[in-house]
Amino acid sequence: MINRYTVIGQPVAHSMSPAIHHLFGELTQRRVLYTRSEATPENFSDTVLQWQKNGGQGCNITLPFKQLALKICDRLSPSAQLAQAVNTIHMHRDGNLVGHNTDGSGLCTDLEINQRFAIAGQHVLLLGAGGAARGALGPLLEKRPALVHIANRSADRAKALAASFAGFGTTTGGGYDTLDTAQAFDLVINATSLSLQGEIPPLPEHVFAAGAVSYDMMYGKDDTSFMSWSRTQGVGRVCGGFGMLVEQAADAFFIWEGARPKTRMVFTRLHDLIGRSYA
Ligand code: NDP
């Protein structure tokens, strides 16, 4: 029997998820078929339900449907509940759709295992307060950093995000001006969409502490604008989000198949596809 999965988004034509999940299947000796499904806001629910009706065991949800997916799930895991977004749906045998969110756990695994950066006790700066930042915040706070400060163009959004996670750890939020008087950070994560336009958030020069790690959730064959800028600031460890993509996929695969592939092998095998070495 072959288990069938898909990624639903708009656009999805360039998604690397099929290549990643087919490699996972090979590495764990499971027969999986993983495809891409383009949807619109109007037909998103029907696309998910049709996939289930046609025998699919699960799907990943990507931009711009992660919040919409919350509403069609019968049950939510604590990760999806916390993130208020779903990136993985498991279609249970009893017909229930169970929503999970593996983006934040994928980020933390990439940081702690692949990059060997222990988050506990560190001062973390999270740039952006959109879906990706929200998904990352809970899993980051679970690692017990000294502080997660959120800086965002819309200061109120950053403040509200920090306030909604107040019970989970020390977190503060505000506009980029809050960084003028802030201390330097050990880890700076770019969860804005600015790298898509080749731009960077307005950051002061003293933002990185000595030995800090810079992490852009976006990734590509070349350094993103945020990665390039970080290097000009003298940061030695500069990471793109490809590791997060692979690790969140591995967590989704585990939810569906009960086996977690060794991602190091995946990085090696995907080297040609992404045009750079990793981890
Ligand atoms: P959202 O659209 O939800 O949020 C976008 C964020 O960027 C907001 O904080 C927004 O600020 C900020 N922003 C947008 N334009 C500007 C601007 N001109 N100046 C300053 N800030 C700006 O996107 P997501 O959170 O879903 O995604 C963010 C990034 O994370 C994307 O690059 C995405 O590719 C990446 N990502 C990577 C993943 C991976 O596996 N590697 C997984 C998920 C996301 P404001 O609130 O003020 O509008």
Side-chain angles (χ1 to χ4, degrees), residues 63 66-67 103 127-134 151-155 157 176 190-197 199 201-202 215-219 240-246 248:
L63 287 174
K66 291 183 189 182
Q67 271 89 29
D103 282 335
L127 304 169
R134 186 173 184 103
N152 191 46
R153 174 178 60 180
S154 316
R157 226 178 151 192
Y176 286 106
N190 182 22
T192 73
S193 49
L194 276 168
S195 287
L196 279 170
Q197 297 127 49
E199 291 172 24
Y215 195 104
D216 195 347
M217 286 195 185
M218 213 186 110
Y219 54 87
F242 183 67
M244 174 179 173
L245 176 77
V246 172
Q248 64 77 25

Side-chain angles (χ1 to χ4, degrees), residues 1-5 22 25-26 28-33 57 253 257:
M1 187 182 135
I2 194 156
N3 289 339
R4 297 174 66 243
Y5 305 102
H22 288 145
E26 206 184 303
T28 58
Q29 298 180 323
R30 278 162 167 78
R31 296 187 68 211
V32 299
L33 179 66
Q57 278 84 8
F253 191 89
E257 292 284 326

Side-chain angles (χ1 to χ4, degrees), residues 22-268:
H22 288 145
L23 263 177
F24 287 171
E26 206 184 303
L27 292 170
T28 58
Q29 298 180 323
R30 278 162 167 78
R31 296 187 68 211
V32 299
L33 179 66
Y34 191 110
T35 58
R36 301 180 183 92
S37 302
E38 186 99 15
T40 63
E42 292 73 32
N43 74 8
F44 170 72
S45 298
D46 288 344
T47 306
V48 175
L49 296 174
Q50 198 58 44
W51 184 257
Q52 182 185 33
K53 210 169 154 190
N54 292 345
Q57 278 84 8
C59 56
N60 283 130
I61 309 296
T62 188
L63 287 174
F65 303 127
K66 291 183 189 182
Q67 271 89 29
L68 214 52
L70 272 177
K71 301 196 178 100
I72 63 161
C73 289
D74 301 295
R75 292 203 308 274
L76 295 175
S77 72
S79 62
Q81 202 67 266
L82 206 58
Q84 282 300 294
V86 165
N87 80 334
T88 302
I89 296 179
H90 190 190
M91 293 160 173
H92 282 205
R93 281 170 204 260
D94 62 7
N96 277 343
L97 299 180
V98 183
H100 300 260
N101 192 307
T102 63
D103 282 335
S105 58
L107 169 71
C108 290
T109 302
D110 190 36
L111 279 165
E112 295 219 307
I113 308 294
N114 301 331
Q115 310 301 335
R116 297 184 186 85
F117 179 87
I119 297 163
Q122 308 284 7
H123 289 83
V124 179
L125 174 60
L126 185 59
L127 304 169
R134 186 173 184 103
L137 190 53
L140 277 172
L141 289 171
E142 271 176 22
K143 300 287 178 189
R144 302 272 166 245
L147 164 78
V148 178
H149 181 67
I150 307 158
N152 191 46
R153 174 178 60 180
S154 316
D156 288 348
R157 226 178 151 192
K159 285 181 198 163
L161 182 56
S164 64
F165 280 81
F168 296 87
T170 308
T171 177
T172 52
Y176 286 106
D177 55 341
T178 56
L179 299 176
D180 294 340
T181 50
Q183 64 180 105
F185 294 90
D186 307 302
L187 169 65
V188 179
I189 301 170
N190 182 22
T192 73
S193 49
L194 276 168
S195 287
L196 279 170
Q197 297 127 49
E199 291 172 24
I200 54 163
L203 301 176
E205 295 207 335
H206 63 263
V207 75
F208 294 106
V213 169
S214 163
Y215 195 104
D216 195 347
M217 286 195 185
M218 213 186 110
Y219 54 87
K221 285 196 170 186
D222 302 313
D223 275 3
T224 65
S225 43
F226 183 72
M227 291 166 74
S228 301
W229 179 78
S230 302
R231 290 191 205 282
T232 68
Q233 299 302 302
V235 179
R237 273 201 286 174
V238 176
C239 318
F242 183 67
M244 174 179 173
L245 176 77
V246 172
E247 297 298 347
Q248 64 77 25
D251 286 345
F253 191 89
F254 180 76
I255 288 165
W256 296 327
E257 292 284 326
R260 200 178 194 284
K262 288 193 169 64
T263 49
R264 189 157 292 272
M265 312 262 284
V266 178
F267 293 126
T268 310

